[in-house]
């Protein structure tokens, strides 16, 4: 059994004995030894149904962004900080809707993400939004608006490149140009 499979099994076991026992876990997915790993905050409804990260609307945006930088999903590894869908009840419909992950959820899953990064061992880590930026840097005050589009070398020598979350441009079209500029910077860096 490879290291990722072992890690997933350990996480499944830990989750089954936690408050998250009833939730479906969505593990990372992709190339085993990628140059680049992308990390989002948590799966949404489509991801929960399909059991894969970034397959919904944000996933479609992500695929387009990857095309822009000359990569496809099969060449990278994609995961999330939190491996379950954080939900709340919609006051309008009474159905489950997405919400940001709680501090407890992040704290529960963070050690697994840290081990996942070690096992996947990418040269580049692209964080998508505030939650993964804070998780990877350990800086609780980090804000994507200040960090996006700039490479940083982490303590372990990996290069961090923060981006806005792909869903951000669904809700804020004004970010579209900024996102494209950031992607062109990333593309240039990856081509070196």
């Amino acid at each position: 059994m490879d290291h990722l499979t072992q890690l997933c099994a350990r996480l499944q076991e830990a989750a089954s004995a936690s408050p998250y026992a009833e939730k479906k876990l969505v593990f990372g997915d992709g190339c085993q030894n990628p140059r680049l790993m992308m990390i989002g905050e948590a799966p949404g409804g489509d991801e929960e149904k399909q059991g894969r990260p970034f397959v919904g609307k944000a996933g479609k945006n992500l695929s387009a962004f990857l095309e822009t930088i000359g990569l496809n999903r099969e060449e990278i590894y994609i995961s999330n900080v939190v491996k379950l869908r954080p939900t709340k009840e919609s006051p309008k419909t009474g159905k489950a809707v997405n919400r940001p992950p709680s501090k407890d959820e992040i704290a529960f899953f963070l050690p697994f993400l840290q081990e996942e990064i070690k096992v996947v061992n990418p040269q580049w880590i692209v964080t998508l939004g505030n939650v993964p930026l804070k998780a990877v840097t350990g800086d609780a005050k980090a804000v994507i608006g200040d960090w996006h589009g700039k490479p940083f070398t982490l303590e372990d020598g990996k290069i961090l490149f923060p981006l806005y979350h792909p869903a951000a441009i669904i809700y804020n079209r004004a970010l579209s140009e900024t996102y494209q500029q950031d992607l062109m910077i990333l593309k240039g860096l990856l081509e070196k």
Side-chain angles (χ1 to χ4, degrees), residues 9-134:
R10 283 204 321 275
L11 177 52
Q12 192 80 56
E13 191 177 317
S16 69
S18 79
Y20 315 118
E22 300 302 311
K23 292 281 210 165
K24 179 179 178 181
L25 298 182
V26 178
F27 298 105
D29 181 48
C31 181
Q32 291 292 318
N33 293 301
R35 185 167 175 220
L36 188 142
M37 177 177 184
M38 291 190 152
I39 304 170
E41 79 177 29
D46 291 321
E47 291 76 13
E48 185 181 52
K49 279 185 203 120
Q50 294 184 40
R52 291 183 64 212
F54 285 94
V55 292
K57 285 181 188 166
K60 286 184 178 64
N61 283 353
L62 183 65
S63 295
F65 300 152
L66 287 172
E67 204 172 292
T68 300
I69 61 174
L71 292 172
N72 61 52
R73 280 185 75 120
E74 292 72 36
E75 295 175 271
I76 68 166
Y77 186 88
I78 304 175
S79 194
N80 284 298
V81 175
V82 171
K83 310 293 193 222
L84 54 78
R85 179 185 178 202
T87 58
K88 64 182 178 186
E89 188 176 301
S90 166
K92 290 180 187 170
T93 65
K95 292 183 179 172
V97 294
N98 297 342
R99 64 165 169 75
S102 70
K103 285 186 172 151
D104 287 346
E105 289 163 339
I106 293 167
F108 179 83
F109 286 100
L110 186 57
F112 293 96
L113 174 68
Q114 290 165 334
E115 192 172 339
E116 187 177 26
I117 292 169
K118 283 182 187 150
V119 171
V120 172
N121 196 25
Q123 179 184 353
W124 289 81
I125 295 175
V126 175
T127 54
L128 304 168
N130 281 317
V131 170
L133 173 62
K134 291 174 183 182

Side-chain angles (χ1 to χ4, degrees), residues 130 133 141-150 152 162 164:
N130 281 317
L133 173 62
K141 292 187 170 104
V143 179
I144 192 63
D146 298 334
W147 287 62
H148 75 92
K150 301 174 199 139
F152 297 89
Y164 282 98

Side-chain angles (χ1 to χ4, degrees), residues 1-12 27 32 119:
M1 192 160 43
D2 70 16
H3 294 303
L4 272 177
T5 308
Q6 289 173 1
L7 179 61
C8 291
R10 283 204 321 275
L11 177 52
Q12 192 80 56
F27 298 105
Q32 291 292 318
V119 171

Side-chain angles (χ1 to χ4, degrees), residues 149-160:
K150 301 174 199 139
F152 297 89
T153 303
L154 299 169
E155 286 177 19
D156 61 5
K158 292 177 182 13
I159 303 163
L160 169 67

